[in-house]
Amino acid sequence: MLQQFNYDQPFVLERGGVFPNLSIAYATYGSLNEAANNVVWICHALTASADAADWWPGIVGKGCIFDPDKHFIVCANILGSCYGTTGPLSINPDTNAPYYHSFPQITIRDMVQAHILLRQHLGIRKIGILAGGSMGGYQILEWALTEPEVVEHLFLLATAPAESAWGIAVHTAQRLAIEADTTWATPASDAGAKGLKAARAIGILTYRSPELLIRQQSDPDHQKTDDFKAASYINYQGDKLVNRFNAYSYWHLTKALDTHNITRGRSAHYHDVLKTIQQPVLLISITNDLLCPISVQRDMAAHLPDCHHVTIDSSYGHDGFIIEAKKISVAFREWMENRY
């Protein structure tokens, strides 16, 4: 069930800005049990929403590993998004107009602080399983370090302890595409739409594997000189995102992705920070993941004190953390059975 939490006090951002107030859109599924030990909190990735049952089918739902008949499942829309939580399209109470490009710079840690406010509002003292992939995993790592006494288990997929130089370069290219749109930074909700389409096109090349695109989007007609199947696919994916998302949110959220680094303010090396995470961790890697390579996650697993690392073979690359529900479910159930 989709709901709204309104926080009527100033919310101070890590990079120095302040929101006079804050709205957080969130969804819950199921009920908190008497022992209050059945909470599953899902952190979503870049362009997803609080409706985890919609974007993570096969993982969230009746009969799935996160079942509303057994669990109290919570997912909150991240700060800076356009699905109900305070973001660039929200009204700035100081001006009575949308923030648009004046929206302040946010970080992954700001998102986690907003989640913590919602957790407190819901009266949740313990999170049994904190789950998510990609950018969701970034939030989970920060949350586990911020509230180690609250978070009991971590379920991480296709993620990393810090944004890589490759990831930052990709995001910079995406923002350059948005900024090249002549409508960018104008005070309109559809500003930068063509740039957003181009940014999504860049993203698709990193979300999927080359092998998958070659297999699925190659043209059987070898006489073609234009209107290629692969080009139609990229255009379709770009249009699809433009129809459901916003360029201002995309620009700000990719900037937030770039800030992810668990060592900031903690230690000189992420190995030392990972060693402080005492919760049991299931870490799932996806083969052909160009954004969060298996090598990075192997290194993570080697320095997390209680980590079970599983690699799932998938031609979907990074997007495998959403698509490979059956394989993910098998790995999760085996992990839980071996623990209890």
Side-chain angles (χ1 to χ4, degrees):
M1 183 172 66
L2 291 171
Q3 300 168 72
Q4 197 81 22
F5 166 54
N6 295 311
Y7 181 72
D8 295 323
Q9 298 180 46
F11 183 82
V12 180
L13 300 168
E14 185 185 6
R15 295 186 65 178
V18 179
F19 290 123
N21 52 46
L22 193 66
S23 292
I24 301 173
Y26 68 100
T28 62
Y29 314 85
S31 303
L32 192 64
N33 64 12
E34 226 174 272
N37 63 357
N38 67 332
V39 175
V40 173
W41 195 299
I42 296 169
C43 294
H44 72 71
L46 182 62
T47 64
S49 70
D51 190 0
D54 175 65
W55 59 261
W56 218 0
I59 298 294
V60 180
K62 288 185 180 292
C64 299
I65 57 173
F66 300 141
D67 188 333
D69 289 341
K70 300 175 182 177
H71 304 111
F72 180 50
I73 305 162
V74 183
C75 183
N77 185 221
I78 55 175
L79 192 64
S81 185
C82 54
Y83 290 128
T85 293
T86 297
L89 300 186
S90 301
I91 299 297
N92 180 349
D94 292 336
T95 64
N96 290 319
Y99 284 99
Y100 294 138
H101 197 49
S102 68
F103 192 74
Q105 296 294 313
I106 56 173
T107 68
I108 299 295
R109 293 182 186 181
D110 293 327
M111 296 173 188
V112 170
Q113 290 301 322
H115 291 331
I116 290 171
L117 289 177
L118 177 59
R119 175 191 69 75
Q120 293 168 342
H121 167 72
L122 294 174
I124 294 172
R125 296 182 179 179
K126 294 284 184 182
I127 297 173
I129 300 169
L130 194 53
S134 188
M135 188 184 196
Y138 294 3
Q139 297 161 62
I140 289 168
L141 288 167
E142 279 295 342
W143 200 341
L145 290 162
T146 303
E147 290 197 313
E149 73 287 353
V150 171
V151 180
E152 296 183 324
H153 298 80
L154 311 185
F155 180 26
L156 299 166
L157 304 96
T159 197
E163 188 57 83
S164 67
W166 162 249
I168 292 169
V170 169
H171 303 150
T172 301
Q174 291 176 306
R175 289 191 298 273
L176 286 171
I178 292 173
E179 291 162 7
D181 187 326
T182 57
T183 67
W184 173 243
T186 59
S189 60
D190 61 351
K194 289 182 179 178
L196 176 60
K197 179 177 177 177
R200 181 62 165 185
I202 295 168
I204 286 293
L205 298 179
T206 68
Y207 301 151
R208 302 293 173 90
S209 71
E211 292 79 9
L212 184 75
L213 287 175
I214 291 167
R215 186 171 74 243
Q216 293 186 344
Q217 305 303 327
S218 292
D219 283 283
D221 180 3
H222 298 296
Q223 306 310 312
K224 266 191 171 185
T225 58
D226 204 353
D227 299 321
F228 294 104
K229 189 176 177 182
S232 296
Y233 174 75
I234 290 296
N235 273 288
Y236 164 75
Q237 289 291 343
D239 288 334
K240 195 164 91 168
L241 186 71
V242 168
N243 290 333
R244 72 172 180 85
F245 211 69
N246 176 262
Y248 283 117
S249 281
Y250 202 91
W251 191 95
H252 279 278
L253 292 179
T254 58
K255 288 288 280 188
L257 276 169
D258 293 350
T259 71
H260 174 55
N261 193 324
I262 62 171
T263 68
R264 189 168 64 252
R266 294 190 178 105
S267 175
H269 203 288
Y270 73 85
H271 287 170
D272 298 325
V273 182
L274 288 172
K275 287 173 184 175
T276 69
I277 296 176
Q278 298 300 312
Q279 298 97 328
V281 179
L282 172 60
L283 174 61
I284 292 183
S285 299
I286 310 293
T287 56
N288 299 305
D289 186 345
L290 299 178
L291 283 177
C292 295
I294 295 172
S295 59
V296 171
Q297 288 159 91
R298 284 194 186 121
D299 192 48
M300 281 179 65
H303 294 90
L304 285 163
D306 186 356
C307 180
H308 180 58
H309 183 209
V310 176
T311 296
I312 288 177
D313 187 34
S314 174
S315 60
Y316 286 100
H318 190 68
D319 272 357
F321 87 90
I322 296 174
I323 296 168
E324 299 287 6
K326 288 184 180 178
K327 293 178 180 179
I328 291 167
S329 298
V330 168
F332 179 82
R333 288 191 171 106
E334 287 178 352
W335 180 58
M336 293 301 286
E337 285 170 6
N338 288 335
R339 294 203 65 82
Y340 299 103

